[in-house]
Amino acid sequence: GENVEQHPSTLSVQEGDSAVIKCTYSDSASNYFPWYKQELGKRPQLIIDIRSNVGEKKDQRIAVTLNKTAKHFSLHITETQPEDSAVYFCAATISGGYQKVTFGIGTKLQVIP
Amino acid sequence: DAGITQSPRHKVTETGTPVTLRCHQTENHRYMYWYRQDPGHGLRLIHYSYGVKDTDKGEVSDGYSVSRSKTEDFLLTLESATSSQTSVYFCAISEIQGDEKLFFGSGTQLSVL
């Protein structure tokens, strides 16, 4: 089955700096890679996703990159703000398939004002 | 946000007692899931459903059973609760096969003493 590794497990950055979270996956058939953000005590929420036919996707201050050859993908947050503080989960699955999505263990991001 | 509610939000129970958690959706989505979230493990799939009376096991299904008699309701039952089942339980829904764009409920904090 799929195995998703995520690092770092914790990350502290100064407000205004950039943050990068990296994930690797094992199944070359995976083609859909979502990222979820979970604020303290709240539900995980989808913030951005990328498919394997795209190398990069941006949405305001967040961006995801995908390297299919190396089987890794990353979340980039620029100009971090205190409200970016949360746990971020990467995941991988096969779009439209019967494979279940596999999550990374999460990265706790702290943005220091 | 998708219309999805979980009940109860918090529950404390004793070892050996049965417990049922309820997930209710108003989105008419076909796919429903139960996850548990534990520190260091991220989100792990317990059971899922791809239609009324159609369910299957996830990666951590031992000790749990589910039922889906209506599109809108997905029940998770711990037949005889154990302390290892103390966790936060999230229900999720998706209208797309392959677990794309999961919408999560607010979670149930379960403590088994």
Side-chain angles (χ1 to χ4, degrees):
Chain A
E2 176 65 276
N3 181 48
V4 176
E5 296 188 355
Q6 181 174 352
H7 58 94
S9 56
T10 60
L11 179 61
S12 291
V13 299
Q14 291 292 136
E15 182 176 357
D17 287 350
S18 295
V20 180
I21 302 170
K22 299 182 179 182
C23 291
T24 61
Y25 61 99
S26 61
D27 189 347
S28 57
S30 290
N31 59 5
Y32 175 69
F33 307 93
W35 287 87
Y36 290 83
K37 174 184 179 182
Q38 185 180 28
E39 297 176 2
L40 186 63
K42 301 290 183 61
R43 73 187 79 190
Q45 291 188 298
L46 179 69
I47 55 172
I48 195 167
D49 54 15
I50 191 168
R51 300 184 188 278
S52 59
N53 59 349
V54 175
E56 182 176 1
K57 183 177 180 180
K58 283 187 175 181
D59 183 2
Q60 300 182 356
R61 295 186 297 106
I62 61 173
V64 290
T65 59
L66 172 65
N67 183 325
K68 287 188 295 183
T69 302
K71 289 191 283 189
H72 66 70
F73 56 113
S74 300
L75 177 71
H76 304 253
I77 306 174
T78 59
E79 301 174 12
T80 54
Q81 300 169 4
E83 53 263 39
D84 295 328
S85 295
V87 177
Y88 292 81
F89 294 96
C90 64
T93 190
I94 299 174
S95 175
Y98 292 98
Q99 177 177 320
K100 310 317 297 172
V101 65
T102 301
F103 287 89
I105 63 169
T107 295
K108 183 176 182 180
L109 173 64
Q110 180 184 22
V111 179
I112 303 168
Chain B
D1 283 353
I4 177 172
T5 55
Q6 290 183 233
S7 59
R9 292 295 311 277
H10 303 273
K11 186 168 182 68
V12 179
T13 191
E14 295 184 348
T15 299
T17 60
V19 177
T20 295
L21 308 182
R22 180 179 183 243
C23 179
H24 179 76
Q25 61 144 330
T26 58
E27 302 298 316
N28 201 36
H29 285 353
R30 177 179 176 185
Y31 304 96
M32 299 186 75
Y33 314 81
W34 278 106
Y35 287 89
R36 61 177 290 174
Q37 183 176 25
D38 305 286
H41 292 278
L43 293 156
R44 292 183 293 174
L45 183 65
I46 305 171
H47 280 281
Y48 62 98
S49 171
Y50 41 91
V52 174
K53 296 186 176 155
D54 288 326
T55 65
D56 207 347
K57 297 178 179 180
E59 64 178 300
V60 290
S61 60
D62 288 348
Y64 302 95
S65 63
V66 291
S67 66
R68 191 168 179 199
S69 58
K70 298 185 291 184
T71 298
E72 56 266 36
D73 290 325
F74 193 31
L75 304 180
L76 176 70
T77 297
L78 290 65
E79 302 291 346
S80 178
T82 67
S83 58
S84 64
Q85 293 176 312
T86 292
S87 185
V88 179
Y89 292 85
F90 285 99
C91 176
I93 61 175
S94 173
E95 61 177 336
I96 305 169
Q97 183 173 307
D99 305 355
E100 290 191 31
K101 303 188 188 298
L102 293 173
F103 293 98
F104 286 87
S106 298
T108 295
Q109 173 68 62
L110 176 66
S111 297
V112 183
L113 306 179

PDB file of all heavy atoms in Angstrom, chain A residues 22-56:
ATOM      1  N   LYS A  22       7.456  19.201   3.653  1.00  0.00           N
ATOM      2  CA  LYS A  22       7.757  18.257   2.577  1.00  0.00           C
ATOM      3  C   LYS A  22       7.162  16.879   2.853  1.00  0.00           C
ATOM      4  O   LYS A  22       7.128  16.422   3.999  1.00  0.00           O
ATOM      5  CB  LYS A  22       9.269  18.143   2.413  1.00  0.00           C
ATOM      6  CG  LYS A  22       9.928  19.454   2.033  1.00  0.00           C
ATOM      7  CD  LYS A  22      11.424  19.305   1.838  1.00  0.00           C
ATOM      8  CE  LYS A  22      12.051  20.641   1.441  1.00  0.00           C
ATOM      9  NZ  LYS A  22      13.509  20.518   1.206  1.00  0.00           N
ATOM     10  N   CYS A  23       6.725  16.234   1.781  1.00  0.00           N
ATOM     11  CA  CYS A  23       6.180  14.874   1.884  1.00  0.00           C
ATOM     12  C   CYS A  23       6.722  14.010   0.759  1.00  0.00           C
ATOM     13  O   CYS A  23       6.968  14.509  -0.351  1.00  0.00           O
ATOM     14  CB  CYS A  23       4.659  14.897   1.813  1.00  0.00           C
ATOM     15  SG  CYS A  23       3.877  15.652   3.263  1.00  0.00           S
ATOM     16  N   THR A  24       6.907  12.746   1.055  1.00  0.00           N
ATOM     17  CA  THR A  24       7.262  11.777   0.028  1.00  0.00           C
ATOM     18  C   THR A  24       6.214  10.666   0.029  1.00  0.00           C
ATOM     19  O   THR A  24       5.587  10.387   1.057  1.00  0.00           O
ATOM     20  CB  THR A  24       8.649  11.169   0.281  1.00  0.00           C
ATOM     21  OG1 THR A  24       8.638  10.486   1.549  1.00  0.00           O
ATOM     22  CG2 THR A  24       9.724  12.234   0.299  1.00  0.00           C
ATOM     23  N   TYR A  25       6.016  10.060  -1.130  1.00  0.00           N
ATOM     24  CA  TYR A  25       5.069   8.960  -1.234  1.00  0.00           C
ATOM     25  C   TYR A  25       5.751   7.780  -1.908  1.00  0.00           C
ATOM     26  O   TYR A  25       6.784   7.932  -2.571  1.00  0.00           O
ATOM     27  CB  TYR A  25       3.803   9.388  -1.983  1.00  0.00           C
ATOM     28  CG  TYR A  25       4.006   9.848  -3.410  1.00  0.00           C
ATOM     29  CD1 TYR A  25       3.763   9.003  -4.483  1.00  0.00           C
ATOM     30  CD2 TYR A  25       4.413  11.151  -3.686  1.00  0.00           C
ATOM     31  CE1 TYR A  25       3.927   9.428  -5.789  1.00  0.00           C
ATOM     32  CE2 TYR A  25       4.582  11.589  -4.978  1.00  0.00           C
ATOM     33  CZ  TYR A  25       4.341  10.734  -6.035  1.00  0.00           C
ATOM     34  OH  TYR A  25       4.514  11.152  -7.342  1.00  0.00           O
ATOM     35  N   SER A  26       5.173   6.604  -1.766  1.00  0.00           N
ATOM     36  CA  SER A  26       5.854   5.399  -2.245  1.00  0.00           C
ATOM     37  C   SER A  26       5.220   4.805  -3.507  1.00  0.00           C
ATOM     38  O   SER A  26       5.922   4.173  -4.302  1.00  0.00           O
ATOM     39  CB  SER A  26       5.867   4.340  -1.141  1.00  0.00           C
ATOM     40  OG  SER A  26       4.534   3.977  -0.773  1.00  0.00           O
ATOM     41  N   ASP A  27       3.910   5.003  -3.694  1.00  0.00           N
ATOM     42  CA  ASP A  27       3.207   4.369  -4.804  1.00  0.00           C
ATOM     43  C   ASP A  27       3.216   5.291  -6.034  1.00  0.00           C
ATOM     44  O   ASP A  27       2.579   6.348  -6.022  1.00  0.00           O
ATOM     45  CB  ASP A  27       1.772   4.059  -4.385  1.00  0.00           C
ATOM     46  CG  ASP A  27       1.018   3.213  -5.401  1.00  0.00           C
ATOM     47  OD1 ASP A  27       1.513   3.075  -6.543  1.00  0.00           O
ATOM     48  OD2 ASP A  27      -0.054   2.709  -5.074  1.00  0.00           O
ATOM     49  N   SER A  28       3.925   4.887  -7.065  1.00  0.00           N
ATOM     50  CA  SER A  28       4.032   5.713  -8.265  1.00  0.00           C
ATOM     51  C   SER A  28       2.686   5.887  -8.976  1.00  0.00           C
ATOM     52  O   SER A  28       2.550   6.763  -9.835  1.00  0.00           O
ATOM     53  CB  SER A  28       5.048   5.108  -9.231  1.00  0.00           C
ATOM     54  OG  SER A  28       4.690   3.780  -9.555  1.00  0.00           O
ATOM     55  N   ALA A  29       1.685   5.074  -8.613  1.00  0.00           N
ATOM     56  CA  ALA A  29       0.364   5.212  -9.236  1.00  0.00           C
ATOM     57  C   ALA A  29      -0.449   6.347  -8.617  1.00  0.00           C
ATOM     58  O   ALA A  29      -1.446   6.795  -9.199  1.00  0.00           O
ATOM     59  CB  ALA A  29      -0.412   3.909  -9.112  1.00  0.00           C
ATOM     60  N   SER A  30      -0.045   6.842  -7.456  1.00  0.00           N
ATOM     61  CA  SER A  30      -0.778   7.951  -6.826  1.00  0.00           C
ATOM     62  C   SER A  30      -0.727   9.170  -7.723  1.00  0.00           C
ATOM     63  O   SER A  30       0.309   9.501  -8.309  1.00  0.00           O
ATOM     64  CB  SER A  30      -0.172   8.280  -5.457  1.00  0.00           C
ATOM     65  OG  SER A  30      -0.451   7.238  -4.546  1.00  0.00           O
ATOM     66  N   ASN A  31      -1.871   9.845  -7.864  1.00  0.00           N
ATOM     67  CA  ASN A  31      -1.922  10.979  -8.786  1.00  0.00           C
ATOM     68  C   ASN A  31      -2.713  12.164  -8.250  1.00  0.00           C
ATOM     69  O   ASN A  31      -2.991  13.118  -8.973  1.00  0.00           O
ATOM     70  CB  ASN A  31      -2.503  10.536 -10.128  1.00  0.00           C
ATOM     71  CG  ASN A  31      -3.902   9.959  -9.985  1.00  0.00           C
ATOM     72  OD1 ASN A  31      -4.498   9.966  -8.910  1.00  0.00           O
ATOM     73  ND2 ASN A  31      -4.438   9.443 -11.077  1.00  0.00           N
ATOM     74  N   TYR A  32      -3.107  12.107  -6.976  1.00  0.00           N
ATOM     75  CA  TYR A  32      -3.851  13.217  -6.384  1.00  0.00           C
ATOM     76  C   TYR A  32      -3.289  13.451  -4.991  1.00  0.00           C
ATOM     77  O   TYR A  32      -3.188  12.520  -4.182  1.00  0.00           O
ATOM     78  CB  TYR A  32      -5.341  12.873  -6.311  1.00  0.00           C
ATOM     79  CG  TYR A  32      -6.177  13.911  -5.596  1.00  0.00           C
ATOM     80  CD1 TYR A  32      -6.389  15.169  -6.150  1.00  0.00           C
ATOM     81  CD2 TYR A  32      -6.743  13.637  -4.357  1.00  0.00           C
ATOM     82  CE1 TYR A  32      -7.146  16.123  -5.491  1.00  0.00           C
ATOM     83  CE2 TYR A  32      -7.502  14.578  -3.694  1.00  0.00           C
ATOM     84  CZ  TYR A  32      -7.702  15.815  -4.271  1.00  0.00           C
ATOM     85  OH  TYR A  32      -8.452  16.760  -3.624  1.00  0.00           O
ATOM     86  N   PHE A  33      -2.921  14.730  -4.725  1.00  0.00           N
ATOM     87  CA  PHE A  33      -2.180  15.055  -3.503  1.00  0.00           C
ATOM     88  C   PHE A  33      -2.809  16.278  -2.829  1.00  0.00           C
ATOM     89  O   PHE A  33      -2.528  17.414  -3.182  1.00  0.00           O
ATOM     90  CB  PHE A  33      -0.715  15.319  -3.838  1.00  0.00           C
ATOM     91  CG  PHE A  33      -0.087  14.199  -4.637  1.00  0.00           C
ATOM     92  CD1 PHE A  33      -0.073  14.238  -6.017  1.00  0.00           C
ATOM     93  CD2 PHE A  33       0.474  13.107  -3.986  1.00  0.00           C
ATOM     94  CE1 PHE A  33       0.477  13.203  -6.760  1.00  0.00           C
ATOM     95  CE2 PHE A  33       1.029  12.059  -4.710  1.00  0.00           C
ATOM     96  CZ  PHE A  33       1.039  12.106  -6.098  1.00  0.00           C
ATOM     97  N   PRO A  34      -3.678  16.041  -1.848  1.00  0.00           N
ATOM     98  CA  PRO A  34      -4.307  17.160  -1.138  1.00  0.00           C
ATOM     99  C   PRO A  34      -3.521  17.546   0.107  1.00  0.00           C
ATOM    100  O   PRO A  34      -2.762  16.756   0.659  1.00  0.00           O
ATOM    101  CB  PRO A  34      -5.668  16.576  -0.747  1.00  0.00           C
ATOM    102  CG  PRO A  34      -5.403  15.119  -0.547  1.00  0.00           C
ATOM    103  CD  PRO A  34      -4.289  14.744  -1.505  1.00  0.00           C
ATOM    104  N   TRP A  35      -3.735  18.772   0.555  1.00  0.00           N
ATOM    105  CA  TRP A  35      -3.193  19.264   1.814  1.00  0.00           C
ATOM    106  C   TRP A  35      -4.362  19.755   2.676  1.00  0.00           C
ATOM    107  O   TRP A  35      -5.232  20.484   2.201  1.00  0.00           O
ATOM    108  CB  TRP A  35      -2.221  20.414   1.579  1.00  0.00           C
ATOM    109  CG  TRP A  35      -0.910  19.990   1.009  1.00  0.00           C
ATOM    110  CD1 TRP A  35      -0.600  19.823  -0.308  1.00  0.00           C
ATOM    111  CD2 TRP A  35       0.280  19.681   1.751  1.00  0.00           C
ATOM    112  NE1 TRP A  35       0.708  19.425  -0.441  1.00  0.00           N
ATOM    113  CE2 TRP A  35       1.276  19.331   0.796  1.00  0.00           C
ATOM    114  CE3 TRP A  35       0.615  19.668   3.101  1.00  0.00           C
ATOM    115  CZ2 TRP A  35       2.568  18.974   1.177  1.00  0.00           C
ATOM    116  CZ3 TRP A  35       1.898  19.313   3.479  1.00  0.00           C
ATOM    117  CH2 TRP A  35       2.864  18.973   2.521  1.00  0.00           C
ATOM    118  N   TYR A  36      -4.325  19.355   3.954  1.00  0.00           N
ATOM    119  CA  TYR A  36      -5.360  19.755   4.891  1.00  0.00           C
ATOM    120  C   TYR A  36      -4.739  20.554   6.032  1.00  0.00           C
ATOM    121  O   TYR A  36      -3.638  20.261   6.481  1.00  0.00           O
ATOM    122  CB  TYR A  36      -6.074  18.525   5.468  1.00  0.00           C
ATOM    123  CG  TYR A  36      -6.945  17.803   4.458  1.00  0.00           C
ATOM    124  CD1 TYR A  36      -6.403  16.876   3.576  1.00  0.00           C
ATOM    125  CD2 TYR A  36      -8.305  18.065   4.379  1.00  0.00           C
ATOM    126  CE1 TYR A  36      -7.197  16.230   2.645  1.00  0.00           C
ATOM    127  CE2 TYR A  36      -9.117  17.416   3.455  1.00  0.00           C
ATOM    128  CZ  TYR A  36      -8.549  16.505   2.589  1.00  0.00           C
ATOM    129  OH  TYR A  36      -9.348  15.864   1.662  1.00  0.00           O
ATOM    130  N   LYS A  37      -5.477  21.542   6.482  1.00  0.00           N
ATOM    131  CA  LYS A  37      -5.049  22.377   7.598  1.00  0.00           C
ATOM    132  C   LYS A  37      -6.012  22.142   8.756  1.00  0.00           C
ATOM    133  O   LYS A  37      -7.226  22.140   8.576  1.00  0.00           O
ATOM    134  CB  LYS A  37      -5.093  23.856   7.188  1.00  0.00           C
ATOM    135  CG  LYS A  37      -4.802  24.842   8.318  1.00  0.00           C
ATOM    136  CD  LYS A  37      -4.967  26.282   7.827  1.00  0.00           C
ATOM    137  CE  LYS A  37      -4.701  27.284   8.927  1.00  0.00           C
ATOM    138  NZ  LYS A  37      -4.912  28.684   8.458  1.00  0.00           N
ATOM    139  N   GLN A  38      -5.448  21.941   9.943  1.00  0.00           N
ATOM    140  CA  GLN A  38      -6.273  21.726  11.118  1.00  0.00           C
ATOM    141  C   GLN A  38      -5.858  22.700  12.217  1.00  0.00           C
ATOM    142  O   GLN A  38      -4.794  22.553  12.814  1.00  0.00           O
ATOM    143  CB  GLN A  38      -6.162  20.289  11.622  1.00  0.00           C
ATOM    144  CG  GLN A  38      -7.105  19.987  12.776  1.00  0.00           C
ATOM    145  CD  GLN A  38      -6.980  18.560  13.269  1.00  0.00           C
ATOM    146  OE1 GLN A  38      -5.929  17.939  13.169  1.00  0.00           O
ATOM    147  NE2 GLN A  38      -8.061  18.013  13.810  1.00  0.00           N
ATOM    148  N   GLU A  39      -6.694  23.666  12.472  1.00  0.00           N
ATOM    149  CA  GLU A  39      -6.442  24.578  13.581  1.00  0.00           C
ATOM    150  C   GLU A  39      -6.774  23.876  14.892  1.00  0.00           C
ATOM    151  O   GLU A  39      -7.528  22.897  14.914  1.00  0.00           O
ATOM    152  CB  GLU A  39      -7.271  25.843  13.399  1.00  0.00           C
ATOM    153  CG  GLU A  39      -6.870  26.615  12.139  1.00  0.00           C
ATOM    154  CD  GLU A  39      -7.741  27.829  11.885  1.00  0.00           C
ATOM    155  OE1 GLU A  39      -8.642  28.106  12.707  1.00  0.00           O
ATOM    156  OE2 GLU A  39      -7.522  28.500  10.872  1.00  0.00           O
ATOM    157  N   LEU A  40      -6.227  24.392  15.965  1.00  0.00           N
ATOM    158  CA  LEU A  40      -6.356  23.751  17.267  1.00  0.00           C
ATOM    159  C   LEU A  40      -7.821  23.536  17.634  1.00  0.00           C
ATOM    160  O   LEU A  40      -8.613  24.489  17.645  1.00  0.00           O
ATOM    161  CB  LEU A  40      -5.653  24.588  18.335  1.00  0.00           C
ATOM    162  CG  LEU A  40      -5.573  23.967  19.730  1.00  0.00           C
ATOM    163  CD1 LEU A  40      -4.752  22.681  19.688  1.00  0.00           C
ATOM    164  CD2 LEU A  40      -4.972  24.959  20.725  1.00  0.00           C
ATOM    165  N   GLY A  41      -8.194  22.293  17.893  1.00  0.00           N
ATOM    166  CA  GLY A  41      -9.555  21.972  18.305  1.00  0.00           C
ATOM    167  C   GLY A  41     -10.584  21.984  17.195  1.00  0.00           C
ATOM    168  O   GLY A  41     -11.778  21.868  17.465  1.00  0.00           O
ATOM    169  N   LYS A  42     -10.124  22.131  15.961  1.00  0.00           N
ATOM    170  CA  LYS A  42     -11.069  22.212  14.836  1.00  0.00           C
ATOM    171  C   LYS A  42     -10.938  20.998  13.906  1.00  0.00           C
ATOM    172  O   LYS A  42     -10.102  20.119  14.124  1.00  0.00           O
ATOM    173  CB  LYS A  42     -10.788  23.500  14.032  1.00  0.00           C
ATOM    174  CG  LYS A  42     -10.921  24.773  14.849  1.00  0.00           C
ATOM    175  CD  LYS A  42     -12.351  25.051  15.205  1.00  0.00           C
ATOM    176  CE  LYS A  42     -12.531  26.353  15.970  1.00  0.00           C
ATOM    177  NZ  LYS A  42     -12.092  27.521  15.197  1.00  0.00           N
ATOM    178  N   ARG A  43     -11.760  20.981  12.898  1.00  0.00           N
ATOM    179  CA  ARG A  43     -11.727  19.889  11.921  1.00  0.00           C
ATOM    180  C   ARG A  43     -10.641  20.142  10.883  1.00  0.00           C
ATOM    181  O   ARG A  43     -10.328  21.295  10.582  1.00  0.00           O
ATOM    182  CB  ARG A  43     -13.083  19.800  11.235  1.00  0.00           C
ATOM    183  CG  ARG A  43     -13.347  20.937  10.250  1.00  0.00           C
ATOM    184  CD  ARG A  43     -14.771  20.902   9.722  1.00  0.00           C
ATOM    185  NE  ARG A  43     -15.720  21.453  10.678  1.00  0.00           N
ATOM    186  CZ  ARG A  43     -17.038  21.369  10.544  1.00  0.00           C
ATOM    187  NH1 ARG A  43     -17.559  20.725   9.517  1.00  0.00           N
ATOM    188  NH2 ARG A  43     -17.837  21.898  11.440  1.00  0.00           N
ATOM    189  N   PRO A  44     -10.076  19.094  10.283  1.00  0.00           N
ATOM    190  CA  PRO A  44      -9.171  19.297   9.134  1.00  0.00           C
ATOM    191  C   PRO A  44      -9.969  19.867   7.967  1.00  0.00           C
ATOM    192  O   PRO A  44     -11.117  19.467   7.721  1.00  0.00           O
ATOM    193  CB  PRO A  44      -8.678  17.885   8.816  1.00  0.00           C
ATOM    194  CG  PRO A  44      -8.933  17.087  10.053  1.00  0.00           C
ATOM    195  CD  PRO A  44     -10.179  17.674  10.664  1.00  0.00           C
ATOM    196  N   GLN A  45      -9.343  20.800   7.243  1.00  0.00           N
ATOM    197  CA  GLN A  45     -10.001  21.399   6.081  1.00  0.00           C
ATOM    198  C   GLN A  45      -9.046  21.402   4.904  1.00  0.00           C
ATOM    199  O   GLN A  45      -7.864  21.747   5.055  1.00  0.00           O
ATOM    200  CB  GLN A  45     -10.456  22.822   6.388  1.00  0.00           C
ATOM    201  CG  GLN A  45     -11.611  22.888   7.390  1.00  0.00           C
ATOM    202  CD  GLN A  45     -12.169  24.282   7.541  1.00  0.00           C
ATOM    203  OE1 GLN A  45     -11.471  25.191   7.966  1.00  0.00           O
ATOM    204  NE2 GLN A  45     -13.429  24.466   7.175  1.00  0.00           N
ATOM    205  N   LEU A  46      -9.569  21.044   3.754  1.00  0.00           N
ATOM    206  CA  LEU A  46      -8.772  21.048   2.529  1.00  0.00           C
ATOM    207  C   LEU A  46      -8.387  22.481   2.180  1.00  0.00           C
ATOM    208  O   LEU A  46      -9.246  23.365   2.113  1.00  0.00           O
ATOM    209  CB  LEU A  46      -9.577  20.433   1.390  1.00  0.00           C
ATOM    210  CG  LEU A  46      -8.907  20.378   0.024  1.00  0.00           C
ATOM    211  CD1 LEU A  46      -7.753  19.380   0.027  1.00  0.00           C
ATOM    212  CD2 LEU A  46      -9.919  20.001  -1.049  1.00  0.00           C
ATOM    213  N   ILE A  47      -7.092  22.719   1.965  1.00  0.00           N
ATOM    214  CA  ILE A  47      -6.659  24.070   1.604  1.00  0.00           C
ATOM    215  C   ILE A  47      -6.148  24.165   0.178  1.00  0.00           C
ATOM    216  O   ILE A  47      -6.258  25.198  -0.476  1.00  0.00           O
ATOM    217  CB  ILE A  47      -5.583  24.611   2.572  1.00  0.00           C
ATOM    218  CG1 ILE A  47      -4.381  23.669   2.670  1.00  0.00           C
ATOM    219  CG2 ILE A  47      -6.195  24.879   3.942  1.00  0.00           C
ATOM    220  CD1 ILE A  47      -3.211  24.259   3.455  1.00  0.00           C
ATOM    221  N   ILE A  48      -5.595  23.080  -0.331  1.00  0.00           N
ATOM    222  CA  ILE A  48      -5.112  23.081  -1.697  1.00  0.00           C
ATOM    223  C   ILE A  48      -4.840  21.643  -2.102  1.00  0.00           C
ATOM    224  O   ILE A  48      -4.595  20.791  -1.245  1.00  0.00           O
ATOM    225  CB  ILE A  48      -3.842  23.963  -1.845  1.00  0.00           C
ATOM    226  CG1 ILE A  48      -3.534  24.271  -3.313  1.00  0.00           C
ATOM    227  CG2 ILE A  48      -2.651  23.326  -1.149  1.00  0.00           C
ATOM    228  CD1 ILE A  48      -2.492  25.381  -3.497  1.00  0.00           C
ATOM    229  N   ASP A  49      -4.911  21.360  -3.386  1.00  0.00           N
ATOM    230  CA  ASP A  49      -4.588  20.024  -3.874  1.00  0.00           C
ATOM    231  C   ASP A  49      -3.912  20.137  -5.234  1.00  0.00           C
ATOM    232  O   ASP A  49      -4.001  21.175  -5.905  1.00  0.00           O
ATOM    233  CB  ASP A  49      -5.826  19.130  -3.944  1.00  0.00           C
ATOM    234  CG  ASP A  49      -6.979  19.736  -4.747  1.00  0.00           C
ATOM    235  OD1 ASP A  49      -6.749  20.722  -5.503  1.00  0.00           O
ATOM    236  OD2 ASP A  49      -8.113  19.252  -4.606  1.00  0.00           O
ATOM    237  N   ILE A  50      -3.227  19.080  -5.615  1.00  0.00           N
ATOM    238  CA  ILE A  50      -2.528  19.076  -6.890  1.00  0.00           C
ATOM    239  C   ILE A  50      -2.639  17.691  -7.508  1.00  0.00           C
ATOM    240  O   ILE A  50      -2.643  16.686  -6.798  1.00  0.00           O
ATOM    241  CB  ILE A  50      -1.048  19.513  -6.716  1.00  0.00           C
ATOM    242  CG1 ILE A  50      -0.393  19.765  -8.071  1.00  0.00           C
ATOM    243  CG2 ILE A  50      -0.261  18.486  -5.910  1.00  0.00           C
ATOM    244  CD1 ILE A  50       0.966  20.464  -7.962  1.00  0.00           C
ATOM    245  N   ARG A  51      -2.733  17.662  -8.818  1.00  0.00           N
ATOM    246  CA  ARG A  51      -2.787  16.394  -9.537  1.00  0.00           C
ATOM    247  C   ARG A  51      -1.458  16.161 -10.252  1.00  0.00           C
ATOM    248  O   ARG A  51      -0.701  17.099 -10.488  1.00  0.00           O
ATOM    249  CB  ARG A  51      -3.946  16.416 -10.530  1.00  0.00           C
ATOM    250  CG  ARG A  51      -5.283  16.624  -9.848  1.00  0.00           C
ATOM    251  CD  ARG A  51      -6.461  16.556 -10.792  1.00  0.00           C
ATOM    252  NE  ARG A  51      -7.675  16.960 -10.082  1.00  0.00           N
ATOM    253  CZ  ARG A  51      -8.381  16.148  -9.309  1.00  0.00           C
ATOM    254  NH1 ARG A  51      -8.004  14.889  -9.176  1.00  0.00           N
ATOM    255  NH2 ARG A  51      -9.450  16.579  -8.681  1.00  0.00           N
ATOM    256  N   SER A  52      -1.236  14.925 -10.630  1.00  0.00           N
ATOM    257  CA  SER A  52       0.095  14.557 -11.123  1.00  0.00           C
ATOM    258  C   SER A  52       0.420  15.136 -12.489  1.00  0.00           C
ATOM    259  O   SER A  52       1.575  15.097 -12.912  1.00  0.00           O
ATOM    260  CB  SER A  52       0.236  13.035 -11.174  1.00  0.00           C
ATOM    261  OG  SER A  52      -0.748  12.473 -12.009  1.00  0.00           O
ATOM    262  N   ASN A  53      -0.568  15.677 -13.181  1.00  0.00           N
ATOM    263  CA  ASN A  53      -0.293  16.283 -14.487  1.00  0.00           C
ATOM    264  C   ASN A  53       0.107  17.760 -14.364  1.00  0.00           C
ATOM    265  O   ASN A  53       0.286  18.447 -15.375  1.00  0.00           O
ATOM    266  CB  ASN A  53      -1.498  16.144 -15.417  1.00  0.00           C
ATOM    267  CG  ASN A  53      -2.745  16.792 -14.851  1.00  0.00           C
ATOM    268  OD1 ASN A  53      -2.793  17.170 -13.678  1.00  0.00           O
ATOM    269  ND2 ASN A  53      -3.760  16.930 -15.680  1.00  0.00           N
ATOM    270  N   VAL A  54       0.245  18.210 -13.126  1.00  0.00           N
ATOM    271  CA  VAL A  54       0.613  19.602 -12.861  1.00  0.00           C
ATOM    272  C   VAL A  54       1.828  19.617 -11.945  1.00  0.00           C
ATOM    273  O   VAL A  54       1.904  18.836 -11.000  1.00  0.00           O
ATOM    274  CB  VAL A  54      -0.555  20.349 -12.189  1.00  0.00           C
ATOM    275  CG1 VAL A  54      -0.145  21.758 -11.791  1.00  0.00           C
ATOM    276  CG2 VAL A  54      -1.764  20.377 -13.109  1.00  0.00           C
ATOM    277  N   GLY A  55       2.778  20.493 -12.215  1.00  0.00           N
ATOM    278  CA  GLY A  55       3.987  20.540 -11.410  1.00  0.00           C
ATOM    279  C   GLY A  55       3.893  21.513 -10.243  1.00  0.00           C
ATOM    280  O   GLY A  55       4.585  21.351  -9.240  1.00  0.00           O
ATOM    281  N   GLU A  56       3.027  22.523 -10.380  1.00  0.00           N
ATOM    282  CA  GLU A  56       2.908  23.524  -9.332  1.00  0.00           C
ATOM    283  C   GLU A  56       1.523  24.143  -9.380  1.00  0.00           C
ATOM    284  O   GLU A  56       0.925  24.298 -10.450  1.00  0.00           O
ATOM    285  CB  GLU A  56       3.972  24.617  -9.509  1.00  0.00           C
ATOM    286  CG  GLU A  56       3.951  25.675  -8.428  1.00  0.00           C
ATOM    287  CD  GLU A  56       5.078  26.700  -8.570  1.00  0.00           C
ATOM    288  OE1 GLU A  56       5.849  26.592  -9.527  1.00  0.00           O
ATOM    289  OE2 GLU A  56       5.173  27.588  -7.720  1.00  0.00           O
TER     290      GLU A  56
END
